[in-house]
Amino acid sequence: MVSILSMKNVTKTYQSGDDTLLILDQVDFAVDEGENIVITGESGSGKSTLLNLIGGLDAPDEGEIFACSQKLTSFGETVLSKFRNEKTGFIFQFHYLLKDFTALENVMMPGRIRGDKQKILLSRAGELLEKVGLSDRKDHYPGQLSGGERQRVALARALMNAPPLILADEPTGSLDEKNSRLVEDLLFHLTEESGTTLILVTHDPALAARAGKRYHLHAGSLTRK
């Protein structure tokens, strides 16, 4: 198997007043291409911090991070921005859709940032909205969509540039059970269909149970379950 992610001796701390909080303590973590991984842990254990480091949204105090054959810990912000746009897709608990843009325009946004042509953008975004069951809602604005629909648009947006790595932080945390299961099914199906690697953080035991591999983060240490 080919590794898509490797973290070596990664340490991350935050300052809280006079106290230094140890969030990650010399974490070693590796993920192969096409795997789906779930990370569990209590609130405040550092799960979101770990995802932010993997996605280049934050930098470790110590250690090295390699993702998609690139050493993230050697990059400046300009290169990291390009990495995030082309190599990763983010899905958060809150959808973060742009309220003044339609569902179709929101899905198109990563490709627009990359500089893709309009014809390609429309075709790809339309295809993704069809896959998440929202073709008939493509011209609706986020305020006209239900919570589950908004999260499905966010999923389509994350897949827009066909990134090799999807990072999902509590993607069903704000949804009712019916919509949670729908988004969950789509997330696993679409990433598996495209061979995309999925790293997912969740408190949901049912969601965690579907993963190929499970890890638990506690007291700064990441262990295989």
Side-chain angles (χ1 to χ4, degrees):
M1 297 291 290
V2 178
S3 176
I4 194 170
L5 171 71
S6 174
M7 305 180 75
K8 299 179 180 179
N9 299 316
V10 169
T11 295
K12 182 67 179 179
T13 60
Y14 288 115
Q15 205 67 30
S16 177
D18 294 330
D19 298 325
T20 299
L21 305 178
L22 181 62
I23 307 300
L24 300 175
D25 185 12
Q26 294 188 321
V27 167
D28 291 324
F29 183 43
V31 178
D32 289 332
E33 286 183 355
E35 287 190 308
N36 57 70
I37 306 290
V38 163
I39 299 169
T40 59
E42 305 209 358
S43 294
S45 61
K47 302 184 302 298
S48 294
T49 296
L50 181 62
L51 277 192
N52 288 342
L53 292 172
I54 295 169
L57 291 170
D58 201 354
D61 298 330
E62 300 175 11
E64 296 179 333
I65 302 174
F66 296 85
C68 305
S69 303
Q70 301 182 55
K71 186 178 180 181
L72 301 191
T73 41
S74 68
F75 290 160
E77 183 53 37
T78 299
V79 180
L80 281 173
S81 293
K82 181 178 174 63
F83 168 82
R84 288 191 294 266
N85 175 250
E86 296 183 354
K87 301 297 184 182
T88 63
F90 290 89
I91 309 168
F92 301 98
Q93 182 172 342
F94 185 71
H95 54 81
Y96 292 111
L97 299 178
L98 301 172
K99 65 182 181 66
D100 295 326
F101 292 81
T102 65
L104 182 68
E105 290 167 337
N106 267 283
V107 176
M108 289 166 58
M109 196 58 66
R112 191 178 297 284
I113 292 171
R114 186 169 63 179
D116 293 347
K117 293 181 179 180
Q118 182 75 357
K119 184 177 179 180
I120 295 173
L121 293 173
L122 288 169
S123 175
R124 172 70 175 163
E127 175 187 325
L128 285 167
L129 282 174
E130 183 176 355
K131 286 187 174 183
V132 299
L134 292 174
S135 290
D136 60 337
R137 308 287 277 170
K138 65 184 178 69
D139 294 323
H140 287 66
Y141 292 89
Q144 299 172 311
L145 302 174
S146 70
E149 288 172 338
R150 289 193 290 265
Q151 201 65 337
R152 281 188 275 159
V153 173
L155 169 57
R157 179 184 58 188
L159 293 166
M160 179 64 191
N161 284 349
L165 183 60
I166 292 289
L167 304 175
D169 192 352
E170 298 285 3
T172 61
S174 63
L175 303 178
D176 59 36
E177 184 168 354
K178 179 181 177 181
N179 279 298
S180 291
R181 298 289 85 88
L182 176 57
V183 170
E184 166 189 324
D185 287 345
L186 286 167
L187 179 59
F188 278 99
H189 171 70
L190 292 176
T191 52
E192 183 178 352
E193 179 184 66
S194 60
T196 305
T197 304
L198 172 64
I199 302 177
L200 185 150
V201 161
T202 186
H203 283 100
D204 184 344
L207 180 52
R210 295 188 60 167
K213 290 182 181 177
R214 286 185 283 169
Y215 291 81
H216 188 72
L217 187 58
H218 176 71
S221 295
L222 188 67
T223 55
R224 176 86 179 270
K225 293 186 71 175

